[in-house]
mmCIF file of all heavy atoms in Angstrom:
data_model
loop_
_atom_site.group_PDB
_atom_site.id
_atom_site.type_symbol
_atom_site.label_atom_id
_atom_site.label_comp_id
_atom_site.label_asym_id
_atom_site.label_seq_id
_atom_site.Cartn_x
_atom_site.Cartn_y
_atom_site.Cartn_z
ATOM 1 N N ILE A 1050 130.438 111.078 133.102
ATOM 2 C CA ILE A 1050 129.718 112.351 133.195
ATOM 3 C C ILE A 1050 128.424 112.201 132.412
ATOM 4 O O ILE A 1050 128.435 111.734 131.271
ATOM 5 C CB ILE A 1050 130.544 113.508 132.607
ATOM 6 C CG1 ILE A 1050 131.822 113.714 133.420
ATOM 7 C CG2 ILE A 1050 129.733 114.787 132.538
ATOM 8 C CD1 ILE A 1050 132.774 114.721 132.801
ATOM 9 N N GLY A 1051 127.307 112.572 133.009
ATOM 10 C CA GLY A 1051 126.040 112.431 132.308
ATOM 11 C C GLY A 1051 124.917 113.148 133.026
ATOM 12 O O GLY A 1051 125.143 113.865 134.011
ATOM 13 N N PRO A 1052 123.694 112.951 132.550
ATOM 14 C CA PRO A 1052 122.538 113.542 133.225
ATOM 15 C C PRO A 1052 122.468 113.091 134.684
ATOM 16 O O PRO A 1052 122.856 111.958 135.016
ATOM 17 C CB PRO A 1052 121.348 113.010 132.417
ATOM 18 C CG PRO A 1052 121.926 112.630 131.090
ATOM 19 C CD PRO A 1052 123.316 112.159 131.364
ATOM 20 N N SER A 1053 121.978 113.950 135.539
ATOM 21 C CA SER A 1053 122.007 113.685 136.977
ATOM 22 C C SER A 1053 121.305 112.393 137.359
ATOM 23 O O SER A 1053 121.781 111.662 138.243
ATOM 24 C CB SER A 1053 121.391 114.872 137.734
ATOM 25 O OG SER A 1053 122.147 116.047 137.526
ATOM 26 N N ASP A 1054 120.165 112.081 136.702
ATOM 27 C CA ASP A 1054 119.451 110.871 137.092
ATOM 28 C C ASP A 1054 120.239 109.612 136.729
ATOM 29 O O ASP A 1054 120.258 108.633 137.490
ATOM 30 C CB ASP A 1054 118.053 110.831 136.454
ATOM 31 C CG ASP A 1054 118.073 110.946 134.941
ATOM 32 O OD1 ASP A 1054 119.091 111.423 134.370
ATOM 33 O OD2 ASP A 1054 117.054 110.577 134.304
ATOM 34 N N VAL A 1055 120.915 109.635 135.592
ATOM 35 C CA VAL A 1055 121.725 108.484 135.182
ATOM 36 C C VAL A 1055 122.922 108.321 136.109
ATOM 37 O O VAL A 1055 123.242 107.206 136.555
ATOM 38 C CB VAL A 1055 122.190 108.649 133.714
ATOM 39 C CG1 VAL A 1055 123.193 107.568 133.331
ATOM 40 C CG2 VAL A 1055 120.989 108.615 132.789
ATOM 41 N N ILE A 1056 123.602 109.417 136.408
ATOM 42 C CA ILE A 1056 124.775 109.350 137.275
ATOM 43 C C ILE A 1056 124.392 108.904 138.681
ATOM 44 O O ILE A 1056 125.110 108.127 139.319
ATOM 45 C CB ILE A 1056 125.491 110.717 137.295
ATOM 46 C CG1 ILE A 1056 126.076 111.014 135.912
ATOM 47 C CG2 ILE A 1056 126.577 110.744 138.355
ATOM 48 C CD1 ILE A 1056 127.030 109.964 135.372
ATOM 49 N N LYS A 1057 123.255 109.367 139.186
ATOM 50 C CA LYS A 1057 122.810 108.927 140.517
ATOM 51 C C LYS A 1057 122.529 107.432 140.527
ATOM 52 O O LYS A 1057 122.925 106.710 141.451
ATOM 53 C CB LYS A 1057 121.567 109.695 140.946
ATOM 54 C CG LYS A 1057 121.093 109.348 142.362
ATOM 55 C CD LYS A 1057 119.885 110.156 142.771
ATOM 56 C CE LYS A 1057 119.533 109.918 144.239
ATOM 57 N NZ LYS A 1057 119.357 108.485 144.578
ATOM 58 N N ALA A 1058 121.864 106.937 139.472
ATOM 59 C CA ALA A 1058 121.557 105.504 139.410
ATOM 60 C C ALA A 1058 122.828 104.673 139.293
ATOM 61 O O ALA A 1058 122.973 103.636 139.959
ATOM 62 C CB ALA A 1058 120.626 105.229 138.227
ATOM 63 N N ALA A 1059 123.761 105.115 138.454
ATOM 64 C CA ALA A 1059 125.028 104.405 138.326
ATOM 65 C C ALA A 1059 125.808 104.449 139.637
ATOM 66 O O ALA A 1059 126.478 103.480 140.014
ATOM 67 C CB ALA A 1059 125.855 105.009 137.193
ATOM 68 N N GLY A 1060 125.713 105.566 140.352
ATOM 69 C CA GLY A 1060 126.364 105.673 141.650
ATOM 70 C C GLY A 1060 125.767 104.715 142.668
ATOM 71 O O GLY A 1060 126.481 104.171 143.520
ATOM 72 N N ASN A 1061 124.443 104.507 142.592
ATOM 73 C CA ASN A 1061 123.821 103.518 143.478
ATOM 74 C C ASN A 1061 124.385 102.128 143.211
ATOM 75 O O ASN A 1061 124.649 101.361 144.153
ATOM 76 C CB ASN A 1061 122.307 103.512 143.267
ATOM 77 C CG ASN A 1061 121.628 104.763 143.784
ATOM 78 O OD1 ASN A 1061 122.209 105.513 144.574
ATOM 79 N ND2 ASN A 1061 120.402 105.012 143.345
ATOM 80 N N LEU A 1062 124.559 101.789 141.939
ATOM 81 C CA LEU A 1062 125.156 100.496 141.582
ATOM 82 C C LEU A 1062 126.568 100.397 142.159
ATOM 83 O O LEU A 1062 126.933 99.382 142.773
ATOM 84 C CB LEU A 1062 125.190 100.359 140.056
ATOM 85 C CG LEU A 1062 126.025 99.206 139.483
ATOM 86 C CD1 LEU A 1062 125.527 97.863 139.989
ATOM 87 C CD2 LEU A 1062 126.015 99.258 137.954
ATOM 88 N N GLN A 1063 127.350 101.443 141.983
ATOM 89 C CA GLN A 1063 128.726 101.408 142.469
ATOM 90 C C GLN A 1063 128.787 101.316 143.990
ATOM 91 O O GLN A 1063 129.694 100.686 144.546
ATOM 92 C CB GLN A 1063 129.473 102.646 141.994
ATOM 93 C CG GLN A 1063 130.943 102.668 142.393
ATOM 94 C CD GLN A 1063 131.725 103.695 141.596
ATOM 95 O OE1 GLN A 1063 131.761 103.635 140.375
ATOM 96 N NE2 GLN A 1063 132.339 104.647 142.286
ATOM 97 N N SER A 1064 127.831 101.918 144.664
ATOM 98 C CA SER A 1064 127.837 101.884 146.130
ATOM 99 C C SER A 1064 127.723 100.455 146.655
ATOM 100 O O SER A 1064 128.227 100.147 147.743
ATOM 101 C CB SER A 1064 126.700 102.742 146.680
ATOM 102 O OG SER A 1064 125.427 102.125 146.475
ATOM 103 N N HIS A 1065 127.088 99.588 145.883
ATOM 104 C CA HIS A 1065 126.968 98.188 146.292
ATOM 105 C C HIS A 1065 128.084 97.320 145.710
ATOM 106 O O HIS A 1065 128.429 96.285 146.284
ATOM 107 C CB HIS A 1065 125.616 97.626 145.846
ATOM 108 C CG HIS A 1065 124.457 98.234 146.564
ATOM 109 N ND1 HIS A 1065 124.170 97.976 147.892
ATOM 110 C CD2 HIS A 1065 123.504 99.109 146.144
ATOM 111 C CE1 HIS A 1065 123.098 98.654 148.259
ATOM 112 N NE2 HIS A 1065 122.665 99.357 147.217
ATOM 113 N N ALA A 1066 128.650 97.736 144.579
ATOM 114 C CA ALA A 1066 129.666 96.918 143.916
ATOM 115 C C ALA A 1066 131.054 97.114 144.511
ATOM 116 O O ALA A 1066 131.741 96.150 144.844
ATOM 117 C CB ALA A 1066 129.693 97.236 142.416
ATOM 118 N N THR A 1067 131.473 98.364 144.657
ATOM 119 C CA THR A 1067 132.853 98.629 145.092
ATOM 120 C C THR A 1067 132.988 99.721 146.136
ATOM 121 O O THR A 1067 134.066 99.901 146.689
ATOM 122 C CB THR A 1067 133.732 99.046 143.881
ATOM 123 O OG1 THR A 1067 133.198 100.248 143.313
ATOM 124 C CG2 THR A 1067 133.778 97.953 142.830
ATOM 125 N N SER A 1068 131.943 100.491 146.392
ATOM 126 C CA SER A 1068 132.049 101.696 147.220
ATOM 127 C C SER A 1068 133.019 102.676 146.557
ATOM 128 O O SER A 1068 133.145 102.707 145.348
ATOM 129 C CB SER A 1068 132.466 101.352 148.655
ATOM 130 O OG SER A 1068 131.491 100.526 149.262
ATOM 131 N N ASN A 1069 133.744 103.446 147.370
ATOM 132 C CA ASN A 1069 134.573 104.507 146.795
ATOM 133 C C ASN A 1069 135.836 103.956 146.136
ATOM 134 O O ASN A 1069 136.363 102.906 146.526
ATOM 135 C CB ASN A 1069 134.959 105.523 147.868
ATOM 136 C CG ASN A 1069 135.796 104.922 148.990
ATOM 137 O OD1 ASN A 1069 135.245 104.312 149.917
ATOM 138 N ND2 ASN A 1069 137.113 105.078 148.930
ATOM 139 N N VAL A 1070 136.316 104.687 145.150
ATOM 140 C CA VAL A 1070 137.639 104.422 144.582
ATOM 141 C C VAL A 1070 138.676 104.706 145.676
ATOM 142 O O VAL A 1070 138.472 105.581 146.525
ATOM 143 C CB VAL A 1070 137.879 105.335 143.359
ATOM 144 C CG1 VAL A 1070 139.306 105.193 142.823
ATOM 145 C CG2 VAL A 1070 136.860 105.027 142.277
ATOM 146 N N ALA A 1071 139.785 103.979 145.675
ATOM 147 C CA ALA A 1071 140.824 104.171 146.689
ATOM 148 C C ALA A 1071 141.168 105.654 146.826
ATOM 149 O O ALA A 1071 141.463 106.331 145.835
ATOM 150 C CB ALA A 1071 142.070 103.382 146.325
ATOM 151 N N ASN A 1072 141.128 106.143 148.057
ATOM 152 C CA ASN A 1072 141.293 107.576 148.292
ATOM 153 C C ASN A 1072 142.659 108.106 147.849
ATOM 154 O O ASN A 1072 142.765 109.231 147.363
ATOM 155 C CB ASN A 1072 141.074 107.888 149.773
ATOM 156 C CG ASN A 1072 139.629 107.690 150.189
ATOM 157 O OD1 ASN A 1072 138.710 108.002 149.440
ATOM 158 N ND2 ASN A 1072 139.425 107.154 151.386
ATOM 159 N N VAL A 1073 143.701 107.312 148.021
ATOM 160 C CA VAL A 1073 145.031 107.754 147.610
ATOM 161 C C VAL A 1073 145.073 107.942 146.093
ATOM 162 O O VAL A 1073 145.655 108.909 145.584
ATOM 163 C CB VAL A 1073 146.102 106.752 148.081
ATOM 164 C CG1 VAL A 1073 147.460 107.057 147.450
ATOM 165 C CG2 VAL A 1073 146.213 106.772 149.602
ATOM 166 N N SER A 1074 144.445 107.038 145.367
ATOM 167 C CA SER A 1074 144.382 107.182 143.912
ATOM 168 C C SER A 1074 143.565 108.407 143.526
ATOM 169 O O SER A 1074 143.891 109.108 142.559
ATOM 170 C CB SER A 1074 143.773 105.931 143.283
ATOM 171 O OG SER A 1074 144.655 104.829 143.368
ATOM 172 N N GLN A 1075 142.501 108.667 144.264
ATOM 173 C CA GLN A 1075 141.703 109.860 143.970
ATOM 174 C C GLN A 1075 142.510 111.135 144.222
ATOM 175 O O GLN A 1075 142.403 112.109 143.456
ATOM 176 C CB GLN A 1075 140.433 109.872 144.811
ATOM 177 C CG GLN A 1075 139.410 108.819 144.409
ATOM 178 C CD GLN A 1075 138.047 109.112 145.026
ATOM 179 O OE1 GLN A 1075 137.333 110.019 144.603
ATOM 180 N NE2 GLN A 1075 137.671 108.332 146.021
ATOM 181 N N ALA A 1076 143.326 111.140 145.263
ATOM 182 C CA ALA A 1076 144.167 112.306 145.539
ATOM 183 C C ALA A 1076 145.178 112.508 144.417
ATOM 184 O O ALA A 1076 145.473 113.646 144.014
ATOM 185 C CB ALA A 1076 144.879 112.133 146.879
ATOM 186 N N ALA A 1077 145.714 111.413 143.899
ATOM 187 C CA ALA A 1077 146.644 111.499 142.772
ATOM 188 C C ALA A 1077 145.931 112.041 141.534
ATOM 189 O O ALA A 1077 146.456 112.898 140.809
ATOM 190 C CB ALA A 1077 147.243 110.128 142.484
ATOM 191 N N ALA A 1078 144.716 111.553 141.295
ATOM 192 C CA ALA A 1078 143.941 112.028 140.144
ATOM 193 C C ALA A 1078 143.596 113.500 140.283
ATOM 194 O O ALA A 1078 143.575 114.244 139.286
ATOM 195 C CB ALA A 1078 142.666 111.197 139.994
ATOM 196 N N LEU A 1079 143.329 113.941 141.505
ATOM 197 C CA LEU A 1079 143.037 115.357 141.740
ATOM 198 C C LEU A 1079 144.230 116.221 141.325
ATOM 199 O O LEU A 1079 144.076 117.249 140.652
ATOM 200 C CB LEU A 1079 142.700 115.574 143.213
ATOM 201 C CG LEU A 1079 142.493 117.020 143.660
ATOM 202 C CD1 LEU A 1079 141.345 117.672 142.909
ATOM 203 C CD2 LEU A 1079 142.239 117.069 145.176
#
């Protein structure tokens, strides 16, 4: 969790590194 510009930039990195976290795990976390 952080400022929007930092989170957007980190999200860009993740989009190339791993894409989304496994959806089933995200549903469990929800």
Side-chain angles (χ1 to χ4, degrees):
I1050 296 173
S1053 297
D1054 56 340
V1055 172
I1056 293 304
K1057 183 178 187 306
N1061 290 343
L1062 168 59
Q1063 183 164 302
S1064 72
H1065 292 289
T1067 61
S1068 298
N1069 62 278
V1070 174
N1072 291 322
V1073 170
S1074 289
Q1075 290 195 74
L1079 175 60

